[in-house]
Amino acid sequence: MQHRPGIIETQWKVEYSNCAGLAGSKFLIELRDNQRIMGLKCGKCSIVYVPPKSVCPKCYSQLDEWVEVSDKGTLMTYTVVDYIYSDFYQPWGIPYAIGIIQLDGAGTGLCHFVDEVDPSKLKVGMKVQAVFKEKEQREASILDIKCFKPIS
Amino acid sequence: MAQEEKAVELITVSHSLRITHRVRPGPYATIYFDGLKEGKVWAVRCPSCKGLKTPPTVACKVCHRALPEFPQGWEALSGKGYLEAWYDVVETSRSPETGELQTSPYMAANFWLDEGIQFQHAVGVAPGSEEAKKLKRGMRVQIVWYPPEERTGRISDIKYFKVLWDEPIRKLGPAIAPNDLPVGKTIWDLPPLD
């Protein structure tokens, strides 16, 4: 622990373990094994949630109707990140763009990277498509989708 | 009808983060931590109620008046006292400094210092040892520091309080329950009854 006059500096080591849950795990496993994006549909509200939710946030009914959604969608909004705050969370350097993509067939947006394009050319409303990693590199993580790229 | 239970695969992500944490202790506490680095435990005496306070704070917690600035009214504790109570801490928790699991067990203890205040730290015997079984309330203790080059300005610069086995055991009065305390006093403020 460093000690400068007036300031005490310590390094906190915080260990955490996070489980995706039943719905989240099935979503990630479908990405890894079958290269497809699945959502859970609420029959009452007619909304397909991507990423899936076990309980509908609007009507609180238990959801168990899995549907596949397209890997193509619309870029609803995006931002270009130009600031490093953590080497752990940003190992690829700056700048990079992240956006919220509403896939065709889904009622909600999925947050992911928008890449393989010049960030200055991004426009709200443009059509984008998911780019998957090779099968050997997929490990049931949201990053099994490498990024979304504009459909030219 | 036999019900087949399929094993469900659950995805878990675990890792550890290192977060830098910076704290400004304030003017009085900074002098206290610097003092620990030098091998001194600073305490400040309130000019109104004459109570001694360690670590030093800006206001007296008994009478709420302002405590004087260093060095007026500041005393370095002698480091000698008597053993009041001790605890065998074997199931350790996470270090408040780093969040890591502390693995070495120690014997936490309260001491009545010669100055008339209580101090919490560790007593220098291994938990569960023969020496630990011989501990008695009222034994004379003395502070033991880590060598100057290993001190960094925190309470663990004090290694422990060692028991002076050859000194006579002082008879301490009964431990006082918080309900029986005089108004305005805490159990840490009262001198031992003889």
Side-chain angles (χ1 to χ4, degrees), chain B residues 67-185:
Chain B
L67 289 172
E69 273 187 35
F70 183 82
Q72 180 102 33
W74 285 54
E75 301 170 21
L77 297 176
S78 62
K80 287 186 181 234
Y82 301 95
L83 182 64
E84 157 70 24
W86 58 98
Y87 319 95
D88 193 351
V89 184
V90 279
E91 296 265 342
T92 55
S93 54
R94 294 183 180 271
S95 156
E97 285 168 6
T98 61
E100 294 188 50
L101 278 172
Q102 291 168 300
T103 49
S104 55
Y106 58 98
M107 293 203 75
N110 297 348
F111 310 104
W112 275 116
L113 300 180
D114 288 350
E115 286 82 3
I117 53 171
Q118 278 209 19
F119 195 82
Q120 276 187 318
H121 208 271
V123 65
V125 296
S129 65
E130 286 304 312
E131 280 189 323
K133 297 192 178 97
K134 291 202 217 128
L135 286 177
K136 285 196 176 9
R137 190 160 169 260
M139 281 183 157
R140 190 93 172 119
V141 294
Q142 184 176 350
I143 200 170
V144 173
W145 293 89
Y146 276 111
E149 56 276 4
E150 288 177 33
R151 300 201 283 250
T152 51
R154 47 184 176 163
I155 194 67
S156 46
D157 287 348
I158 303 172
K159 199 167 173 191
Y160 46 63
F161 282 67
K162 74 171 178 207
V163 177
L164 304 175
W165 299 99
D166 299 330
E167 301 257 344
I169 297 172
R170 179 166 177 181
K171 190 172 182 309
L172 296 180
I176 298 178
N179 282 346
D180 301 335
L181 286 171
V183 171
K185 297 266 182 211

Side-chain angles (χ1 to χ4, degrees), chain A residues 57-71:
Chain A
K58 281 180 148 53
C59 66
Y60 304 115
S61 43
Q62 295 280 345
L63 306 181
D64 52 20
E65 192 187 335
W66 286 92
V67 295
E68 182 181 350
V69 298
S70 165
D71 60 346

Side-chain angles (χ1 to χ4, degrees), chain B residues 36-56:
Chain B
L36 289 176
K37 193 156 188 240
E38 291 165 27
K40 288 189 164 106
V41 183
W42 284 117
V44 62
R45 195 170 290 281
C46 177
S48 311
C49 67
K50 307 285 183 281
L52 197 63
K53 174 87 175 64
T54 190

Side-chain angles (χ1 to χ4, degrees), chain A residues 1 3-22 25-26 28-29 32-33 88-89 139-140, chain B residues 8-25 30 33-34 37 94 96-100 152-154:
Chain A
M1 182 183 87
H3 181 213
R4 299 198 299 277
I7 294 181
I8 298 178
E9 188 176 295
T10 46
Q11 287 276 314
W12 283 7
K13 186 161 171 249
V14 181
E15 293 164 29
Y16 81 83
S17 181
N18 229 343
C19 178
L22 288 170
S25 296
K26 187 171 161 94
L28 295 172
I29 290 166
R32 175 191 67 192
D33 295 342
F88 180 86
Y89 288 118
E139 45 182 24
Chain B
V8 175
E9 185 187 354
L10 288 175
I11 308 295
T12 309
V13 170
S14 4
H15 73 265
S16 44
L17 284 173
R18 286 213 168 260
I19 303 173
T20 307
H21 186 249
R22 280 189 203 105
V23 161
R24 274 191 191 276
T30 306
F33 287 125
D34 288 341
K37 193 156 188 240
R94 294 183 180 271
E97 285 168 6
T98 61
E100 294 188 50
T152 51
R154 47 184 176 163

